[in-house]
C-alpha cells in the first residue's frame, strides 16, 4: 500500500475591493492597454482595513473545510505559504490555527515568495507520507498591497491580494499514476539572483519595506525554469504532457503562462488562467486558481494537474497531482 496526500477540499477568499487597471491612470504614467498587453492583468482585489493575510487565510480554510465536510478539529497541521504575514512573528499559520478554533495540532509558515504554495504542498506531502500528519490544511495567502511602492509603475500595477486553501488527507493508493493525490514534487532555488526580486525592508532596516523587481530579468528566467521543473516533476511521477488535463500555473503574467504551456507542448485550453481577475497574488495564486478552476467546472475529480511557480529567491518548483 502507498500513502497518498489526497485533496479533500478547496476554497478561496478575495477581498471585496476590486481595482480596475484604469484606476492607476489617475496617479501614474500608465494605462489599461499597457498593463493588459504586457501582463494580461485587467483587475485585482485589494484588502481593506482589517483584512489581513491571516484573516483571508482563515476564510479560505473555512471554505475548504466546508467542501470537505470536516471541522477544524479534524486537521493535524496548518501551513501558510506567505511573504506578507501580519507580523514578523508569530506565524500567520498559528494565527489561522487560533482563528479556526483548533485545540491541537501544529502550524507554521513557509516563505518561498511566489513559489510558496508549491513548497508548502511538497512539505505537507512529506508530513503525510512520513506519518506525522493525517490531514494538513495548505494555504497560500498574501496582502502584497501592503508592500507596494505606489509611485513605482513597474510593480504596483501587477500585484493583488487574496487567499486559497487546499485540505490534504492521507489515503491509501495503489502506487501507480492512477492514484488520486500528490504524485511527485520538484523544488529548486538559487540565492544568487536575490537582486532580481526582493523587499527592501525587514528586521535589518526596521521597516517592512517595498517590493523591488527587475521584471524583464525575472521574465527571462521564468519560462525556462518553469518548463524544466514541470518536466522534472512529470518524469518523477511517470507521466508526460499528453497525460495532463490541466496546468495550474503561478499567475504572474499571461505571456509567461503561454510561453511555458507552449514549451510543454500543451494548448492554452488545458491551462487554468485567472491572472486577468486577480493579478499576481504571489503564494496565493495557485490555490486561488485551483479553487476558481473547480468552481468554473474546469477541474474535476480524477484530472491530472501540474502546478508550477517561480518567484523571489529565486525559488521555483512544480507539483504533479491527480485531483
Ligand atoms: O511572481 C513573481 C515572478 N514575477 C514575474 O514573473 C514577473 C515577470 N515579469 C513580467 O511580468 C514583465 O517583465 C513585466 C510585466 C513586469 C514588464 O513587462 P516587459 O515586457 O518585461 O517590460 P519592461 O520591464 O521591459 O518595460 C518596457 C517599458 C519600459 O519603458 P522603456 O524603458 O522601454 O522606455 C518601462 O519603463 O515599459 C515601461 N513600463 C510601463 N509603461 C507603462 C513599465 N511599467 C509600466 C507601466 N505602464 N505600468
Amino acid at each position: 500500500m502507498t500513502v497518498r496526500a489526497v485533496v479533500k477540499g478547496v476554497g478561496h477568499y478575495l477581498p471585496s475591493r476590486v481595482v480596475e487597471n484604469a484606476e492607476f491612470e489617475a496617479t501614474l504614467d500608465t494605462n489599461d492597454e499597457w498593463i493588459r498587453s504586457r501582463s494580461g492583468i485587467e483587475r485585482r482585489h485589494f484588502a481593506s482595513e482589517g483584512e489581513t493575510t491571516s484573516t483571508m487565510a482563515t476564510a479560505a480554510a473555512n471554505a475548504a473545510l466546508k467542501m470537505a465536510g470536516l471541522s477544524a478539529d479534524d486537521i493535524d497541521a496548518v501551513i501558510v505559504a506567505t511573504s506578507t504575514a501580519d507580523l514578523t512573528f508569530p506565524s500567520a499559520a498559528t494565527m489561522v490555527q487560533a482563528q479556526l478554533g483548533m485545540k491541537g495540532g501544529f502550524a507554521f509558515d513557509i516563505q518561498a515568495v511566489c513559489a510558496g504554495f508549491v513548497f508548502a504542498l511538497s512539505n505537507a506531502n512529506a508530513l503525510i507520507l512520513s506519518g506525522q500528519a493525517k490531514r494538513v490544511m495548505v494555504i497560500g495567502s498574501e496582502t502584497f498591497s501592503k508592500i507596494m511602492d505606489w509611485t513605482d509603475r513597474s510593480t504596483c500595477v501587477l500585484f493583488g491580494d487574496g487567499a486559497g486553501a487546499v485540505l490534504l488527507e492521507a489515503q491509501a493508493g495503489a502506487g501507480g499514476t492512477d492514484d488520486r493525490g500528490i504524485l511527485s514534487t520538484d523544488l529548486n532555488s538559487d540565492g544568487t539572483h536575490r537582486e532580481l526580486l526582493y523587499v527592501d525592508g525587514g528586521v535589518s532596516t526596521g521597516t517592512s519595506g517595498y517590493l523591488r523587481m527587475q521584471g524583464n530579468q525575472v521574465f527571462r528566467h521564468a519560462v525556462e525554469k518553469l518548463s524544466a521543473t514541470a518536466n522534472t516533476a512529470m518524469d518523477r511521477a511517470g507521466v508526460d504532457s499528453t497525460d495532463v488535463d490541466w496546468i495550474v500555473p503561478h499567475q504572474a503574467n499571461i505571456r509567461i503562462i503561454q510561453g511555458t504551456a507552449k514549451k510543454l507542448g500543451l494548448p492554452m485550453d488545458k491551462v487554468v488562467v485567472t491572472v486577468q481577475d486577480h493579478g499576481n497574488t504571489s503564494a496565493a495564486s495557485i490555490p486561488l486558481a485551483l479553487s476558481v478552476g473547480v468552481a468554473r467546472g474546469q477541474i474535476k475529480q480524477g484530472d491530472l494537474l501540474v502546478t508550477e511557480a517561480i518567484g523571489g529567491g529565486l525559488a521555483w518548483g512544480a507539483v504533479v497531482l491527480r485531483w
Side-chain angles (χ1 to χ4, degrees):
M1 191 209 58
T2 306
V3 177
R4 297 289 193 189
V6 174
V7 174
K8 283 288 285 180
V10 63
H12 70 271
Y13 177 83
L14 287 161
S16 58
R17 185 170 164 229
V18 177
V19 173
E20 301 286 337
N21 288 346
E23 271 198 45
F24 291 101
E25 293 172 11
T27 52
L28 290 170
D29 179 15
T30 189
N31 56 71
D32 175 49
E33 204 283 322
W34 189 96
I35 302 168
R36 216 178 260 257
S37 61
R38 294 296 178 118
S39 72
I41 298 164
E42 297 172 24
R43 61 193 64 81
R44 74 287 291 140
H45 296 246
F46 285 145
S48 314
E49 202 75 17
E51 275 176 324
T52 67
T53 291
S54 74
T55 64
M56 295 194 303
T58 301
N62 274 322
L65 280 173
K66 193 172 174 201
M67 179 185 274
L70 294 168
S71 73
D73 285 330
D74 297 320
I75 312 169
D76 303 312
V78 177
I79 305 178
V80 177
T82 189
S83 303
T84 49
D86 304 16
L87 299 172
T88 303
F89 76 77
S91 64
T94 54
M95 296 186 186
V96 172
Q97 184 189 25
Q99 289 165 25
L100 287 174
M102 283 170 67
K103 302 283 186 299
F106 59 97
F108 62 96
D109 288 357
I110 279 187
Q111 213 271 48
V113 201
C114 298
F117 189 75
V118 166
F119 277 63
L121 272 185
S122 181
N123 277 273
N125 185 49
L127 287 172
I128 287 174
L129 298 196
S130 65
Q132 291 178 82
K134 187 164 178 274
R135 292 200 190 97
V136 184
M137 183 65 78
V138 191
I139 308 168
S141 184
E142 302 278 18
T143 40
F144 264 47
S145 62
K146 309 279 190 206
I147 52 166
M148 286 298 112
D149 173 353
W150 299 109
T151 65
D152 177 9
R153 68 175 182 172
S154 71
T155 54
C156 74
V157 302
L158 301 174
F159 293 88
D161 300 337
V166 165
L167 177 58
L168 295 177
E169 181 183 83
Q171 287 185 13
T177 58
D178 287 342
D179 285 353
R180 287 189 64 209
I182 294 178
L183 300 180
S184 70
T185 72
D186 180 56
L187 304 181
N188 309 269
S189 54
D190 180 350
T192 63
H193 296 301
R194 189 193 78 145
E195 78 288 355
L196 299 187
L197 178 51
Y198 65 99
V199 170
D200 62 3
V203 288
S204 59
T205 62
T207 63
S208 50
Y210 297 111
L211 181 146
R212 306 294 175 200
M213 177 167 74
Q214 296 177 38
N216 49 13
Q217 297 299 315
V218 177
F219 197 112
R220 263 190 341 106
H221 287 277
V223 173
E224 187 203 322
K225 288 184 165 51
L226 289 172
S227 54
T229 186
N231 276 322
T232 301
M234 285 193 283
D235 282 350
R236 253 175 223 163
V239 300
D240 65 39
S241 58
T242 59
D243 300 313
V244 173
D245 294 297
W246 294 104
I247 304 186
V248 187
H250 171 47
Q251 310 280 325
N253 186 312
I254 190 67
R255 292 184 294 139
I256 294 174
I257 293 170
Q258 288 164 339
T260 307
K262 191 170 172 198
K263 234 170 167 224
L264 293 171
L266 283 158
M268 282 304 288
D269 61 10
K270 290 200 167 197
V271 185
V272 177
V273 180
T274 55
V275 67
Q276 69 282 2
D277 296 325
H278 302 163
N280 182 346
T281 58
S282 190
S285 91
I286 288 175
L288 266 167
L290 288 170
S291 183
V292 168
V294 169
R296 281 179 188 158
Q298 293 177 305
I299 299 170
K300 297 191 182 64
Q301 189 168 315
D303 283 354
L304 188 72
L305 271 53
V306 177
T307 65
E308 29 89 344
I310 186 167
L314 296 175
W316 67 102
V319 171
V320 175
L321 76 155
R322 193 171 292 285
W323 195 258

